[in-house]
Amino acid sequence: MTSQPITPELRQWIIDQAGTGIAAPALIDAMCKAGWNEDVAIQAVEQVLRKHLDDVAVQQGQPPAVRVPGPPLADSPLFIGVGDRQVEVLMAMGSPRVVLFGNLLSPEECDAIIAAARPRMARSLTVATRTGGDEVNDDRTSDGMFFQRGENDVVTRLEERIARLVEWPIENGEGLQVLHYRPGAEYKPHYDYFDPAEPGTATILKRGGQRVATLVIYLNDPARGGGTTFPDVHMEIGPRRGNAVFFSYERPHPSTRTLHGGAPVIEGEKWIATKWLREREFK
Ligand code: PD2
Ligand code: ZN
């Protein structure tokens, strides 16, 4: 793609036009009529408005945005190659950034992860941001366990796939967490980032910085219920074995609209594995 410099005048024009309520496609249209290459115009409008929105957010007291993981979706692929597998892209949403994948794990791999986790399951703890320690939390009525990164073959294979899928170093991932929900169990809506206002957060962030993305991987098919919900956008993802839902959050703030929860399991049971990705190496 040829690039044309974004002059201060063009930058201000894009911001002013957007400020009067003109949508991005109309701005791009106007730039094309003025002789801009379409791809370059799209890139310029996106870059200017993204930076402007970040400036406004920071002026309003929000933490600055950071780089986040994400699958390469620029040319709308149906599949993403992750070395030993073609992962399906089933749905992609821009804001909040949510992507649903299929075929991340085979049924046999799902069963192998459940079998390795089962003997180690205990009532789930959540990170207590008040203190930086772990605590039992009534909002999460599942059982859980953590694998060490690279703990066994199937976990290693999954972690390698995830790193390729969302283009983020394996080392920045926390150990995989497995959760088991029985009928009635749920995970009430929450954010996965650590709240900067909580006193324990500074301690938690010493190990790899903030969480910036989550991948929830479904290891079985619950008979009924157990979807992953995103209340801010009224969306629910159906849990299907081998599928996974990815979402990212470029700042630890509700403006990311990444509030999400695990709906109560109505019938059957639900097994998931969650991979949280940090800004930096998680040691
Ligand atoms: O089980 C889920 O669908 C779910 C929902 C919300 C999992 C998590 N959060 C998580 O592991 O963070
Ligand atoms: Zn969560």
Side-chain angles (χ1 to χ4, degrees):
M1 193 192 302
T2 55
S3 76
Q4 280 170 264
I6 303 174
T7 61
E9 292 74 25
L10 175 64
R11 182 181 306 280
Q12 198 54 52
W13 179 82
I14 292 172
I15 291 168
D16 291 345
Q17 297 292 304
T20 67
I22 297 177
L27 292 180
I28 292 159
D29 229 31
M31 287 175 70
C32 291
K33 289 202 173 96
W36 284 70
N37 166 290
E38 188 183 13
D39 288 343
V40 178
I42 290 169
Q43 203 184 43
V45 167
E46 194 177 297
Q47 190 184 319
V48 168
L49 292 182
R50 195 181 295 277
K51 167 84 168 57
H52 178 63
L53 287 175
D54 188 52
D55 290 347
V56 170
V58 172
Q59 278 162 20
Q60 289 173 346
Q62 294 183 28
V66 299
R67 205 168 74 84
V68 296
L73 298 183
D75 52 357
S76 304
L78 292 176
F79 297 93
I80 297 176
V82 292
D84 59 348
R85 212 164 171 80
Q86 292 288 323
V87 174
E88 302 163 349
V89 180
L90 300 177
M91 188 282 292
M93 184 183 227
S95 175
R97 182 43 134 181
V98 179
V99 183
L100 178 63
F101 296 112
N103 196 42
L104 178 63
L105 289 175
S106 70
E108 295 73 27
E109 288 169 330
C110 292
D111 290 347
I113 293 172
I114 292 173
R118 197 186 282 279
R120 288 160 55 182
M121 302 302 282
R123 174 74 193 271
S124 292
L125 302 175
T126 46
V127 178
T129 42
R130 229 169 10 80
T131 60
D134 290 336
E135 64 183 8
V136 171
N137 182 340
D138 284 340
D139 288 346
R140 189 194 230 183
T141 48
S142 53
D143 292 337
M145 58 79 69
F146 276 95
F147 285 111
Q148 299 276 5
R149 228 174 26 225
E151 184 175 321
N152 60 38
D153 284 354
V154 66
V155 165
T156 302
R157 213 179 312 142
L158 173 58
E159 289 173 336
E160 283 168 357
R161 281 180 202 159
I162 295 170
R164 289 184 182 218
L165 184 63
V166 301
E167 302 187 337
W168 207 248
I170 280 195
E171 296 74 28
N172 294 21
E174 297 180 28
L176 199 68
Q177 182 181 52
V178 175
L179 289 184
H180 178 209
Y181 303 75
R182 293 186 172 81
E186 66 180 313
Y187 196 170
K188 298 237 175 80
H190 59 273
Y191 299 98
D192 280 354
Y193 56 73
F194 302 108
D195 183 348
E198 291 286 346
T201 294
T203 305
I204 295 167
L205 298 189
K206 285 185 189 151
R207 232 180 141 189
Q210 264 291 359
R211 286 180 176 162
V212 286
T214 305
L215 187 71
V216 175
I217 305 151
Y218 305 105
L219 301 176
N220 79 322
D221 294 323
R224 210 146 49 94
T228 303
T229 61
F230 292 83
D232 289 346
V233 288
H234 311 284
M235 180 167 69
E236 178 163 350
I237 305 287
R240 296 303 307 270
R241 180 165 72 168
N243 287 7
V245 62
F246 168 86
F247 52 98
S248 61
Y249 22 99
E250 70 282 0
R251 49 166 58 86
H253 193 274
S255 63
T256 56
R257 302 198 292 171
T258 54
L259 185 68
H260 66 286
V265 171
I266 298 168
E267 192 187 335
E269 55 180 350
K270 174 184 176 188
W271 287 86
I272 60 161
T274 301
K275 174 63 86 173
W276 288 292
L277 302 173
R278 299 288 189 107
E279 289 177 88
R280 296 182 288 280
E281 181 178 359
F282 181 78
K283 286 198 182 133

